């Protein structure tokens, strides 16, 4: 079983920054990709950013140029640096990690979600 722990959320003013962290633990063999989603009440989760195994990254248009996703392979961790935050960035942010884990003698694919961390941007 792979567990994810998120941290770094909080309340900030418009224009300020936050850095979210997502740490994965368990019998992880390798990580395929790490995704950051966000969700507001009554809405579906929106893919905000992702970093693939190759190191390439993708961003939603709404955050391009303001958010930066990175990872620490040795620590099985990922980060989302959020700069120039706007009130419309207010949401609960979730990380999702897809990869391979050891289950007994087998290698199985997993997709795990973090518990979510609240980001509030308000003046």
């Amino acid at each position: 079983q792979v567990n994810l722990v998120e941290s770094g959320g909080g309340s900030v003013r418009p224009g300020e920054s936050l850095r979210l962290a997502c740490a994965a633990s368990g019998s992880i063999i390798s990580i395929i990709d790490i995704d950051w989603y966000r969700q507001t009440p009554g809405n579906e989760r929106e893919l905000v950013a992702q970093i693939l195994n190759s190191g390439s990254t993708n961003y939603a248009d709404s955050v391009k140029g303001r958010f930066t996703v990175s990872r620490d392979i040795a620590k099985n961790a990922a980060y989302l640096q959020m700069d120039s935050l706007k009130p419309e960035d207010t949401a609960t942010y979730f990380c999702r990690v897809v990869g391979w884990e050891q289950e007994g003698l087998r290698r199985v694919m997993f997709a795990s979600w973090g518990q979510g961390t609240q980001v509030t941007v308000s003046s």
Side-chain angles (χ1 to χ4, degrees):
Q1 183 177 357
V2 175
N3 295 309
L4 302 184
V5 176
E6 297 179 40
S7 60
S11 295
V12 297
R13 297 182 184 276
E16 294 184 343
S17 299
L18 281 174
R19 186 176 187 244
L20 306 184
C22 175
S25 62
S27 302
I28 299 170
I29 298 173
S30 63
I31 291 176
I32 298 171
D33 69 85
I34 301 174
D35 310 315
W36 287 95
Y37 286 77
R38 65 186 180 189
Q39 187 174 27
T40 53
N43 294 306
E44 295 185 357
R45 288 184 186 181
E46 169 196 20
L47 180 62
V48 173
Q50 66 178 176
I51 182 164
L52 305 179
N53 187 40
S54 62
S56 62
T57 57
N58 295 298
Y59 298 93
D61 288 342
S62 58
V63 306
K64 279 182 182 176
R66 300 187 299 120
F67 289 14
T68 304
V69 60
S70 62
R71 65 182 181 183
D72 185 330
I73 295 175
K75 295 182 179 180
N76 286 329
Y79 309 94
L80 185 66
Q81 177 67 39
M82 305 185 294
D83 299 320
S84 302
L85 282 162
K86 304 176 180 180
E88 50 263 43
D89 294 319
T90 296
T92 302
Y93 284 72
F94 299 87
C95 66
R96 186 184 77 138
V97 177
V98 180
W100 295 96
E101 66 172 325
Q102 191 73 39
E103 190 174 283
L105 298 178
R106 300 186 305 151
R107 187 180 78 148
V108 298
M109 184 174 285
F110 71 89
S112 296
W113 287 89
Q115 81 281 8
T117 185
Q118 179 66 35
V119 171
T120 302
V121 185
S122 174
S123 56

